[in-house]
Every structure is written in C-alpha cells, then in structure tokens.
Amino acid sequence: MAVPPALITLLIGVVLTLAGLWVGHNVNLLPVEASSNAPVYDDLFVVLFSIGTILFLGITGLIVYSLVRFRRRTGDTGDGLAIEGNLPLEIVWTAIPAVVVLFVGIYSYDIYERMGGMASLHDHGAMAPMVEQVSVQSSGQDERIWGGIGRSGDGGAVLPVDVTAMQFAFIFHYPGAEITSGELHVPLGQSVELHMEARDVIHAFWVPQFRLKQDVIPGQPTVLTFTPTRAGSYPIVCAELCGPYHGGMRSTVVVHEPEAFEAWLQSNRPATVAAAPGHPTG
Amino acid sequence: MTVANPLELEPGLQPQGWLRYLSFSLDHKVIGIQYLVCGFLFYLVGGALAGVIRTELASPMSDFVGRDTYNEVLTLHGTIMIFLWIVPVVNGAFGNYLIPFYVGARDMAFPRLNAVAFWLIPPAGLLLISSYFLAGAASQSGWTAYPPLSLTTPAAGQIVWILSVLLLGGSSIFGGINFIATVLKLRRPGLKLMQLPMFCWAMLGTSILVVLATPVLAGTLVMLSFDIIAHTGFFNPSLGGNVVVYQHLFWFYSHPAVYIMVLPAFGLVSEILPVHARKPLFGYTTMVYSIMAIVVLGLVVWAHHMFTSGTPPWMRLFFTIATSFIAVPTGIKFFNWLATLWGGKIALNSAVLFSCAFIFNFVFGGITGVALAQVPFDIHVHDTYFVVGHFHYIVYGGSVFVIFASLYHWYPKFTGRLLNEDLGRLHFVLTFIGFNLCFAPQHWLGLNGMPRRVAEYDPAFTTWNQVSSVGALLMAISTLPLLINVVVTAFRGPVAGDNPWNALTPEWLTSSPPPVENWIGEAPLVTEPYGYGEHPGGFDLDRISGRDLWSSGKS
Amino acid sequence: MDTSLQPVTTAQPASEEHGHPDFRLFGLATFLVADGMTFAGFFAAYLTFRAVNPLPEGAIYELELLLPTINTVLLLVSSFTFHRAGTACRSGRMQTSRRWLLLSIALGIAFLAGQMVEYFSLPFGLTDNLFASTFYALTGFHGLHVTLGVICILIVWFQARPGGSISQDSHFGLEAAELYWHFVDGIWVILYGILYLL
Ligand code: HEA
Ligand code: HEA
Ligand code: CUA
Ligand SMILES: [Cu+2]
C-alpha cells in the first residue's frame, strides 16, 4: 500500500506541531506569577517552549529514525546513494529557521515593549530617557540614571524605594516614611519604583516570581519598576557573583494587601521623623 | 616546491620514539598529539574541580569547601575547561594533526611558531593551577573576571590568572596565524579551495575569529591588570571608571570564543559522518557559506551576555535579532548532517554514536540559546542555572562529545590500532546518560530561582541538585572505560591497517601512523574528499533524492 | 601504497624556509591584523569612556597639540625614509639603503624623545583620572611598538652590512621591519586623530 510521502510528511508535521503546542501549554516549568509582568513573560515562554519542543522532537526523531532505518547491516559493504546536495531543499531549511527566528524576534520585541523595557521612562518627572544625564539631588553631583525595566502601568500612584546593594545585603529605604529595612515590603497592585545603587561591586536584584532582574552597578544608579499582583512572600536573590557570600545574599519581598501595607508602614515609621515626611521625589 | 631539503634533516639531534612527545618537535603530528594529551590531562583536572563543585552542591549548605574556595574552584574549572581543554584540543590537537594532510602539505606553514604555540600552554596551565597553592589564593571572580569584583579579590591570584590567560591567548593567536597561512597558502598545487575537506573551512573560520577577537581580550586584561597593580581607574567606578566597558570588551572576545570552541567541532563532525554513513557530505557549498556567516554574525552579538547590565534598549534589540539569526546558518549545518545520514549505510560505532549524540545535545543547547537571546526571556534567567545548563549542553554535549567521537575515529590514524568498540559503547552510554542527568535538571533550577556561582542555595532545590550531582558522578565514572581503552589499545589493540574505515580524505591515504613527512613520495591530490556513494545509472538522481529527502526534511 | 606499520623514526621535517615558499610576510601581516585589533580595543574603550563618562570636576586632561604634531610628521617622514631604504635594497644599492635605515632610526628615536618630553610636561599623571590613564595606556602601548621597531631597524641595519645576511636577494628581515614600521605609523595617525584632534 503506497501512501504518498508528502502526506506522511504533512501528518508528521501536524502531529509534531500539536505535540509541541501541548507541551508548551501544559508543562509548567516556571514559579508562580506575582507581578504584572510575569504573565506577559509566561506568554513568551509558552511560545518559545512550543517552538523549541517541535524542533527538538522533530530533529531527534529524524536522527533516531535514520540510525535505525539506515544502519549498516552485517555483511553489507556497499555505499549509500551519492547525493551531494539539493538546492531547493537547502533553501527550504534556510528559510524555515529564518522565518521562525524573525517571528520570535519580533514577538519578543513586542513582549519586551509590554514589559516596559523599551519605554524611555518619561512618565515620571524625575526620570529622563535612558542614558541621558539627569540631576539627582542625593549626592550633589550629576548622576546618570540607567534605565531598568518594568512599567508603572496606569499612571497611578508610585511607591518609590531606594535600594542599596552591598556585600552582602540589600538595604531598602522608604524616602516618604524614612523607614530603613532589610526586607522589601510593597502593597499589592501598586507600582513600585526601585532606585538602586551599589556600594562596592556589581550585584543583581532578582525576584524569580516577578520575572525581573536588573544588575546593580556601582557608579550607575538604576531604576526598576514593577507592579506586584499576588500577595505573599517571595525571595529576592542576588544574581551576580559578588564575593564569597554571594550565595547568602538573599532577602524577601513581602507583598501586602494595601491595608496591611499601611499598617506595616505605621508600625515601622520611626516616631521622630513622622512629623516631616519627605516628598517622594525619586 | 614542497619537497624537503634532506640536508635539513638532523637525525640524532631530536629525541626518538615516545620521547619526541616531550620535545620541542616541529612535526605537526607530534604537536597535535602533544596538544591532545596535554589538553586531556587538564580536562581531568577541570573535571575533578567539577567534582568538587557538584559535591558541594549536593547539599544546600556550604559544607564541603569554604566559600572562597568554592569561588576559586569554579573560576579554575571554567578557565581550565575553556582555555586548556576545549580550545587547545579542538583547534590545536585536531587542527594540527589534520590540516596539513588536508591541504596536501608536509607540515604547517610555520612549524617553529607552531611548537612555540604549544609550549606556551603547559607553563600557562601549571601557573594557573599553582596559583591555588602558591599565591595562597587563586582568582575568585569567575572566568569572566568582572571588575570591580576582580579588583577587590586577592590581587596575586587575579594577576596570575590574567598572566596565564594572556599566555594562552598568545598561543591561540599564533596557532590561528599558522592555520590561516596553511589553509590559504600551503595548499598542494592543483587543489582548489572548494575541494578542501570541510574541517579546513571550519579551521579557517575559527582562526579568523581567533585573530580578530583574542587580541581585544589581551588588551582588556592588560588594562585590568593596570587597575590592580598601578591603581588606574579604567574599570574602577570609585575612580571614575566604567565597568560596563570591561564587559563589552570581554564579551567581544568571549562570545566569538564560543564559536572558536564549536566551529572546529562542526568541522570534525563533517569529516566523521560521511565516512561512516558511506555518503557524500550533503550541501558542501552551503556548509562553507554557513561557516562564514557564523564567523561574521559571531562578531556582532556579544552584548547578549549583558542584557541586564543597563544597556540601552536599541542595543538590546539589535543584539537579540543578530543573535537569533545565528540559528539560521547553524541550522543549515544541522539539516545538512541529517541529510548526510539519510539513506546512508550507517555504521553504529562509537564515533557515530558520539557524533549523533552531539547533534541531539547541541540542538537542545542551541534552542535554549535562541531563547536566551530574547531580551525579555534572558532577564529572568540571566546568571542562573538555566545558563549553566545551556552552555554545558553546548560545550560538553557539543565540543566534548565531538572530541570523543574524533578520538574513536582517528585513533587508528594516530596509533595504527583500533579502539575497542564494546568499551567505546560503554563509554558512550555512561557519558550520555550521566551528561543529561547532570545538566537537564539545571534548566528547571534556573527557571525556578537558583542563581549560578553559589555555594549554598534554597533547600527547595535540593532534589534536582542531587540528581545533577549523580549525573556528574556517572560522567566521572565514564572516563574509566575511555582511559582503559586508550591505554590498553595502545599496546595490544587489534592492528587497524592503514585505512580501516575506507575513507577518502587525504590523511587516510598514507600509512597509519604516517611517516614523518606524511607521504612517502608525492602527496595525493584529493579533489573529492567525499566521493562516497553509488551512482545508480539510468535514474533521475535529483528527483529521487529530492523526494526521498523531502518526505522527511520537514521539522 | 606503503602499508608498513613501523613506528616512525626519522627525524624532523625540513625547516620552513626550505620546505616551501616563504610565507613569513603573510604571517606577519596576519599578526599585524591581530595587533591592530588590540589597538582597536583600546580605541573603542577610550571612545566609550568619552561618550559616557564625563570628566570629573577638578580633573585635568589637557593636551598640547604642537609636540604631537611634530611627532606625527617625524613618524610619517620615517615611513618614507624606510620606504626608500627598501627600494634601494631591492635594487642592490646596499650602502644607500643603510643610510636611509639610519635616518629612519634617528627619526624613530626623535619620536620617542618627543614622547618623553610630552610625558614629562603633561599636567596629569597615570592615575589622575580615567582619560589620563587611557591616554598613557594608548600612547605607551604605541611607544612600546615604536621602541620595538627601532630595535628591529637597528638589527636590520646591522644585518645589511657588507657580507651580512641581508642583501639584494635575501631581504625578508628588511621587508618585515618595513611592513611593521608602516603599521606602527598608521596606528599613530589614527591615535593622533582620536586622542588629540577629536
Ligand atoms: C561552544 C560554546 C557555545 C555556543 C556554540 C553557543 C551558542 C549559542 N549561544 Fe551560548 N553561551 C556559551 C557557550 C556557547 N553558546 C557560554 C559558555 C555561555 C555563558 C558564559 C558565561 O556567562 O559564563 C553562553 C551564554 C549565552 C547567552 C547569555 C546568557 C546569559 O548569561 O544570560 C546567550 C544569550 O543570547 C547565548 C545564546 C547562544 C545562541 C543563540 C547560540 C547559537 O549559536 C546556537 C545556534 C544553534 C541552534 C539554534 C541549533 C541548531 C539550529 C537549528 C536546528 C535550526 C532551527 C532552530 C531555530 C529556528 C531556533 N549563550
Ligand atoms: C568548557 C567546557 C566545560 C566543561 C567540559 C565542563 C564540564 C563540567 N562542568 Fe562546567 N563550567 C564551564 C565549562 C565547562 N564545564 C564554565 C565556563 C563554567 C562557568 C564558570 C564560571 O561561572 O566562571 C562552568 C561552571 C560549572 C558549574 C556552575 C558552577 C557555579 O556556577 O556555581 C557546574 C555545576 O554543576 C559545572 C559542572 C560541570 C560538570 C559536572 C562537568 C563535567 O562534565 C565534567 C566531567 C568530567 C569529569 C568528571 C572528569 C573525570 C575525571 C576524574 C574525576 C578524575 C580526576 C582525577 C585526577 C585529576 C587525577 N560547571
Ligand atoms: Cu551580591 Cu551576589
Ligand atoms: Cu554568547
């Protein structure tokens, strides 16, 4: 019974695609989503995972099939067919990856835009386009703000937090409330703007559940914004080798319900400065 | 023109027998073996260090070695594996042994330079390793040596590290110059460029990368050492310096370096597969162009290692697209290999098994690589075990698997004896299982929050780390059958004959092992190194093959 | 085909000069490409520093133009004199060639002297600021090349003596030194443009 090869190819292609899509959508390798940018990230992940699975299964299948089907039987000393190439075929397998890669590139650009990575951070008064010079009061001299990523969403209230990274801890300072803490506390659903600075060597601020990471480089104050969307405690991990205790440089970010966050602010606000809350500049 | 002047031969002055492998020999074959054995010894050291890493990580606490020691160990591991194992072996060992045969020459273009390049390696390696014992502290800042960390860790160790990498870089540049001159200038009369075996093209591409990229690393490391010794402030933010510039310069070398590690491996696979599948290499011309495309693209993608370093958005976008496009020429090569296997008569020996496993591993690592190239994806997994997983799939699953494949394929050439196939397959199975067990779980670890370069971690990750450590143990065990095989065979293995695989590439058209000047008499002119295969008369070959392949070519 | 399995016991292959045509100039040219990339790295670093890192307040980074301009001229002339030396040698006028070589050496040394004068008259030191450091690194690395070049020309000059190893028929050393010297010269022109004029 002769089934046309083209049909078989088509069938295998369809099965592969379905398998890839199924795997992409049903195998979850990521931790929970806890920021507005995590679902966007996970969309990209599903696409990449599906495409990757299709390619990988297809190629693996091809090798295994070839090794079994075309293995040399004992006693056979002949050669295979002298096929030196096939231009149309080669064009096809140049074109397919090119299209896939172009699609992935454009798609991830879109994702990146949605995550706020391409934003010039114009929205907030004190911030200028990335890599443009800006005066920052804190140290009295000109400093450069390097853009981080993230977005402040709806233009609602923004909670600024100063982050100082040093060997081997993150220190969080709430300019409005004059609170200094070793843990980051943030309210659910509100955009948070981290103003990060490093004291000694490079560190990196990473919250896996937020799908966000930004190097904190000495001499280059960096801004990172995000909006937490799920209450709970999540680890803050230093992701850049910074010395012997790099592995121990961990902290926690606690995402509170808004009321609980207010309560936390109240209970931690130093009584002495409560009278004159600084204006949250940035 | 290529005939040696007999007066130049100086019998008696050069050591004979095995002693010549310890001498300043000018014979490219001796130098090739020197590279191979020396590299393998360093591999054992680097592997032992990996053993320390995996033992430490078998439990979430920092309990096996001190935290400083852990950082020293991982720095030494990365540096040794890259600069003393993969680069010298895929370039130095196989390049030196094979290239003169392939171009029909009796030696490399600059034999003396060649020997110098090799003899830079053992002292540099010993220097590096000794820094652990002598200077009291080896470098602790990772193989990337990012300042300002590398400016604040113990200076002696860092300086020794820089010195040794400079020496190794110099060796690599000398090698590269030699390969370029040999391939372009030393070809036997009548041999055209497009008739060369694919490995020559791979080495040409690699050498171009070496010559263009390595000097930048050298300059950068000199600047870094100034910062350490003379207290200049190039990369020291507290003195007004800029650390990101270091990262750009470092990766301008170190990204091409990954192709320096893998392009020769691609070339070797292109030699091995056609012989054992008894078919011509599929798509010779596109293979050549894709190598050159990888060379060009490889030079303009470096910033994909710096997506979280505060690079401007346009830069991230550019580097994402450029990096992703490397998948296209690389893909061409992989599909061509698959087409080479298709319809062949494949001998399922160790060389082929390792080569096919290489395809499997590399495609996996390449796909995670393309994922990493996407800025938003990378932001989450940068500097995590996902990246560790990615590159071990490529450097180990790619380059090291190919080195093993090549060993099984060319061992009879080196020694005249055939390696034992049963031990070979055992080696393969253990390595393949151990490798995947070790590095596949690391992708999950990275995605879920385990950063790299840590001696302690969240206890939630214990199970998969232990699986990974078991895999590493299996890999260590898998070295045993290989070592036994190589040593025992050298003395009592079955005699292979000159051309055990019935291969057509020029190195097999002489005795095994070959005489000093490669051929007794004139070098053969091989214009069709892949002329395998039967030409059945009367068929419309193109049609048949096209259809035949087409029915599988999709995916 | 010879199928013996005898281990090979003959000695070394012939040295490179005799086994095949001489590719040493090609090799040198390749090496110079590599060397040029080292400079390119330094230049890139300097340009990035300039684009991104402002000169801190109170830091001095001022360059005079006169001396380096004279130096540029000296070096350019030396390239010309070396070229004349090469032409003379190839046409067999070894005495003339040696005289041109001497002149090139003198110019090279004058350049180095000028460089020294500049170093000592500059208002900043190696570690004063980022630009000072980069300035010294770049000019110093180049100066090292010039020094090496002067030594090479001296050797060539010596070898070109009557009865020496360099003659009309065998002048690899001279050509290599010439190629190298032109390269060092070219780098200086770029360096002058980037460091002093920009
Ligand atoms: C031999 C070494 C080697 C090779 C060949 C590669 C190849 C690739 N690498 Fe990898 N890489 C490393 C070694 C290597 N890498 C190392 C050592 C690091 C870490 C350094 C450190 O920080 O210490 C690293 C890190 C690294 C990063 C940075 C991650 C981070 O730190 O955040 C990125 C990001 O883009 C990346 C991408 C790629 C890509 C896109 C390829 C591509 O070349 C892969 C192309 C291949 C394929 C895609 C498979 C075959 C193609 C097909 C079958 C066609 C169809 C495919 C598609 C359409 C997708 N690599
Ligand atoms: C280039 C090649 C290469 C190769 C082949 C390997 C091989 C291996 N690597 Fe490595 N690795 C790197 C390059 C390589 N690696 C680099 C560049 C880094 C980054 C470093 C950095 O962050 O700066 C890294 C980092 C790295 C890490 C991350 C460390 C960290 O971030 O904290 C880990 C962890 O599992 C690891 C594991 C392994 C293992 C288990 C192997 C195994 O495959 C090894 C298998 C081999 C053996 C087991 C040898 C067996 C022999 C013996 C045991 C006998 C010994 C006897 C004597 C010496 C007498 N490697
Ligand atoms: Cu801070 Cu790692
Ligand atoms: Cu890279």
Side-chain angles (χ1 to χ4, degrees):
Chain A
M1 200 186 69
V3 185
L7 198 67
I8 300 181
T9 316
L10 192 72
L11 223 69
I12 294 178
V14 169
V15 171
L16 264 181
T17 313
L18 289 179
L21 288 176
W22 187 87
V23 169
H25 283 90
N26 290 286
V27 180
N28 184 15
L29 297 177
L30 288 161
V32 294
E33 303 170 343
S35 81
S36 61
N37 141 106
V40 185
Y41 178 93
D42 293 9
D43 285 350
L44 173 68
F45 188 83
V46 168
V47 170
L48 290 174
F49 196 20
S50 303
I51 295 179
T53 311
I54 297 169
L55 285 168
F56 185 62
L57 284 183
I59 291 175
T60 308
L62 222 57
I63 305 182
V64 174
Y65 179 79
S66 302
L67 286 184
V68 175
R69 165 85 204 279
F70 303 116
R71 70 181 187 281
R72 191 184 300 169
R73 322 283 149 134
T74 27
D76 187 348
T77 51
D79 276 11
L81 285 184
I83 306 160
E84 301 202 329
N86 181 313
L87 200 58
L89 205 58
E90 288 169 55
I91 290 175
V92 165
W93 63 53
T94 311
I96 292 180
V99 171
V100 170
V101 152
L102 203 65
F103 162 73
V104 168
I106 291 173
Y107 181 65
S108 72
Y109 169 76
D110 177 53
I111 293 281
Y112 194 46
E113 178 117 57
R114 284 203 269 155
M115 286 168 71
M118 302 302 290
S120 53
L121 299 181
H122 263 316
D123 339 26
H124 321 298
M127 276 190 279
M130 303 186 191
V131 197
E132 197 175 278
Q133 216 147 316
V134 156
S135 278
V136 176
Q137 266 79 34
S138 56
S139 65
Q141 76 179 90
D142 276 358
E143 282 187 10
R144 192 170 304 278
I145 301 238
W146 294 74
I149 82 153
R151 70 170 165 183
S152 41
D154 33 37
V158 173
L159 172 75
V161 183
D162 294 334
V163 183
T164 309
M166 56 171 137
Q167 286 170 331
F168 294 93
F170 291 105
I171 311 265
F172 302 96
H173 176 74
Y174 293 74
E178 298 307 330
I179 297 174
T180 302
S181 156
E183 276 185 359
L184 180 59
H185 290 257
V186 292
L188 183 67
Q190 190 187 342
S191 170
V192 181
E193 197 175 281
L194 301 181
H195 294 248
M196 308 198 290
E197 234 176 321
R199 281 279 169 75
D200 31 47
V201 299
I202 308 177
H203 304 269
F205 176 95
W206 180 35
V207 180
Q209 284 75 6
F210 292 174
R211 315 280 192 274
L212 271 187
K213 180 183 296 110
Q214 177 62 47
D215 286 7
V216 195
I217 300 175
Q220 297 182 358
T222 306
V223 177
L224 180 72
T225 56
F226 63 89
T227 309
T229 55
R230 192 173 183 279
S233 302
Y234 311 104
I236 298 174
V237 182
C238 175
E240 180 70 49
L241 178 62
C242 54
Y245 288 85
H246 162 57
M249 187 163 161
R250 274 182 279 170
S251 178
T252 310
V253 47
V254 185
V255 181
H256 297 281
E257 300 290 343
E259 314 84 64
F261 179 69
E262 276 311 314
W264 179 81
L265 274 184
Q266 292 309 327
S267 63
N268 283 276
R269 197 189 294 268
T272 41
V273 288
H279 179 66
T281 47
Chain B
M1 237 11 212
T2 46
V3 180
N5 179 348
L7 292 179
E8 288 295 316
L9 302 174
E10 303 167 74
L13 280 180
Q14 289 281 341
Q16 307 297 315
W18 65 271
L19 258 182
R20 70 182 188 275
Y21 292 107
L22 295 177
S23 75
F24 191 81
S25 171
L26 302 185
D27 183 343
H28 71 100
K29 298 181 288 300
V30 174
I31 295 178
I33 302 292
Q34 285 174 329
Y35 268 112
L36 186 62
V37 173
C38 174
F40 193 82
L41 293 178
F42 282 120
Y43 169 65
L44 292 182
V45 177
L49 291 166
V52 174
I53 294 180
R54 286 315 325 168
T55 313
E56 170 65 70
L57 295 179
S59 75
M61 256 78 68
S62 167
D63 45 13
F64 181 59
V65 292
R67 292 178 172 84
D68 310 50
T69 315
Y70 182 83
N71 286 354
E72 291 172 9
V73 165
L74 84 92
T75 305
L76 283 178
H77 164 72
T79 314
I80 289 177
M81 285 298 199
I82 289 179
F83 293 107
L84 290 160
W85 160 236
I86 306 281
V87 172
V89 170
V90 291
N91 290 274
F94 293 105
N96 271 307
Y97 202 97
L98 297 174
I99 291 290
F101 282 109
Y102 286 174
V103 300
R106 297 190 187 276
D107 209 319
M108 297 285 288
F110 311 115
R112 224 177 297 273
L113 186 68
N114 207 12
V116 171
F118 169 73
W119 281 107
L120 282 175
I121 289 185
L126 294 178
L127 186 68
L128 182 69
I129 294 168
S130 71
S131 74
Y132 182 84
F133 303 101
L134 296 183
S139 160
Q140 302 180 10
S141 50
W143 83 282
T144 47
Y146 275 13
L149 183 63
S150 50
L151 305 178
T152 57
T153 45
Q158 196 64 49
I159 291 293
V160 172
W161 182 88
I162 292 176
L163 210 67
S164 125
V165 173
L166 283 177
L167 286 175
L168 295 169
S171 155
S172 183
I173 294 175
F174 291 155
I177 292 173
N178 221 334
F179 286 124
I180 293 180
T182 309
V183 172
L184 291 182
K185 292 285 183 186
L186 205 58
R187 286 193 315 283
R188 183 193 189 288
L191 187 59
K192 298 198 189 65
L193 272 176
M194 292 305 269
Q195 296 168 337
L196 289 174
M198 193 52 62
F199 184 59
C200 295
W201 285 103
M203 283 310 299
L204 183 63
T206 309
S207 303
I208 293 174
L209 285 177
V210 167
V211 166
L212 292 181
T214 318
V216 177
L217 177 73
T220 314
L221 292 184
V222 169
M223 286 165 91
L224 187 65
S225 57
F226 266 66
D227 275 5
I228 296 173
I229 299 171
H231 304 289
T232 52
F234 300 114
F235 309 127
N236 192 341
S238 57
L239 298 177
N242 188 329
V243 298
V244 179
V245 170
Y246 174 88
Q247 300 181 6
H248 277 293
L249 293 171
F250 179 84
W251 290 113
F252 181 82
Y253 163 74
S254 291
H255 181 79
V258 309
Y259 298 107
I260 294 171
M261 292 189 271
V262 94
L263 276 179
F266 287 175
L268 293 169
V269 170
S270 301
E271 302 307 330
I272 296 172
L273 287 182
V275 174
H276 297 284
R278 311 307 305 163
K279 277 189 65 204
L281 181 66
F282 194 93
Y284 182 95
T285 321
T286 44
M287 288 294 233
V288 172
Y289 288 132
S290 55
I291 288 177
M292 290 307 151
I294 292 175
V295 169
V296 173
L297 282 172
L299 282 169
V300 294
V301 301
W302 72 89
H304 64 217
H305 296 272
M306 307 166 52
F307 283 150
T308 65
S309 303
T311 36
W314 65 265
M315 206 187 251
R316 304 182 186 188
L317 190 64
F318 170 80
F319 283 104
T320 288
I321 302 282
T323 307
S324 310
F325 263 97
I326 292 196
V328 177
T330 318
I332 294 175
K333 299 187 74 70
F334 280 79
F335 293 123
N336 280 346
W337 287 324
L338 291 174
T340 305
L341 290 176
W342 189 266
K345 303 207 166 161
I346 309 166
L348 291 181
N349 53 29
S350 313
V352 169
L353 289 176
F354 270 111
S355 302
C356 291
F358 147 79
I359 297 181
F360 174 90
N361 299 332
F362 192 96
V363 167
F364 190 89
I367 288 171
T368 57
V370 171
L372 283 172
Q374 316 303 320
V375 196
F377 182 89
D378 184 65
I379 281 173
H380 176 48
V381 292
H382 170 69
D383 263 333
T384 68
Y385 263 83
F386 190 92
V387 176
V388 176
H390 155 70
F391 71 75
H392 281 93
Y393 259 84
I394 287 195
V395 289
Y396 198 100
S399 306
V400 179
F401 268 62
V402 173
I403 293 173
F404 290 151
S406 307
L407 203 60
Y408 288 97
H409 183 75
W410 277 290
Y411 193 81
K413 183 83 262 170
F414 300 160
T415 63
R417 293 172 191 273
L418 278 169
L419 283 173
N420 182 297
E421 268 304 315
D422 293 330
L423 279 174
R425 294 206 183 108
L426 177 67
H427 174 213
F428 168 75
V429 170
L430 285 176
T431 311
F432 187 72
I433 296 176
F435 164 77
N436 282 290
L437 213 55
C438 183
F439 295 114
Q442 296 186 350
H443 295 90
W444 183 87
L445 288 172
L447 286 169
N448 282 276
M450 180 161 167
R452 59 190 279 206
R453 296 168 163 178
V454 294
E456 56 210 299
Y457 54 86
D458 189 335
F461 301 134
T462 314
T463 318
W464 285 117
N465 266 301
Q466 284 171 345
V467 172
S468 178
S469 296
V470 171
L473 181 63
L474 262 184
M475 288 163 91
I477 295 172
S478 80
T479 357
L480 278 179
L482 174 69
L483 280 174
I484 295 173
N485 204 350
V486 166
V487 172
V488 173
T489 301
F491 296 104
R492 43 171 69 176
V495 170
D498 286 346
N499 191 351
W501 316 122
N502 284 321
L504 295 179
T505 38
E507 83 274 27
W508 297 103
L509 307 181
T510 180
S511 61
S512 297
V516 163
E517 298 225 311
N518 295 352
W519 291 280
I520 298 177
E522 189 77 359
L525 175 63
V526 179
T527 54
E528 282 198 47
Y530 305 113
Y532 309 102
E534 284 157 6
H535 293 270
F539 280 119
D540 184 351
L541 231 177
D542 267 353
R543 261 275 196 67
I544 293 212
S545 58
R547 180 82 86 40
D548 219 2
L549 286 159
W550 176 238
S551 60
S552 70
K554 249 211 72 172
S555 63
Chain C
M1 187 139 308
D2 183 279
T3 51
S4 78
L5 276 167
Q6 288 303 308
V8 183
T9 48
T10 8
Q12 296 305 307
S15 77
E16 59 231 68
E17 294 81 15
H18 300 272
H20 55 72
D22 190 344
F23 302 130
R24 283 175 297 174
L25 267 186
F26 179 84
L28 178 65
T30 321
F31 176 78
L32 291 181
V33 171
D35 203 15
M37 286 305 292
T38 322
F39 278 104
F42 282 129
F43 289 142
Y46 177 75
L47 290 174
T48 321
F49 288 149
R50 274 187 59 132
V52 188
N53 293 58
L55 192 66
E57 246 168 86
I60 312 166
Y61 178 63
E62 278 169 22
L63 297 173
E64 292 287 343
L65 217 58
L66 181 65
L67 198 56
T69 311
I70 298 177
N71 257 349
T72 311
V73 174
L74 288 182
L75 219 49
L76 283 176
V77 173
S78 79
S79 247
F80 172 75
T81 54
F82 207 147
H83 176 71
R84 294 301 297 262
T87 331
C89 168
R90 280 183 287 271
S91 59
R93 290 173 286 122
M94 292 311 290
Q95 276 314 314
T96 329
S97 176
R98 291 190 80 207
R99 243 174 279 144
W100 283 116
L101 282 177
L102 265 188
L103 195 55
S104 313
I105 294 171
L107 287 165
I109 291 177
F111 173 89
L112 287 173
Q115 187 93 62
M116 278 299 133
V117 172
E118 190 190 8
Y119 275 10
F120 283 109
S121 61
L122 281 173
F124 51 78
L126 173 66
T127 56
D128 278 14
N129 61 58
L130 187 55
F131 298 93
S133 305
T134 322
F135 171 83
Y136 283 112
L138 258 171
T139 50
F141 190 50
H142 181 267
L144 216 63
H145 278 75
V146 176
T147 316
L148 199 72
V150 168
I151 295 173
C152 286
I153 311 177
L154 261 172
I155 296 174
V156 169
W157 174 79
F158 178 71
Q159 289 181 336
R161 72 189 186 280
S165 57
I166 291 183
S167 65
Q168 183 181 8
D169 321 304
S170 149
H171 46 250
F172 164 75
L174 193 142
E175 290 207 57
E178 184 178 347
L179 184 63
Y180 175 79
W181 194 250
H182 291 326
F183 165 80
V184 171
D185 208 11
I187 291 288
W188 174 261
V189 173
I190 302 174
L191 192 155
Y192 177 72
I194 291 182
L195 230 51
Y196 293 94
L197 299 186
L198 215 69

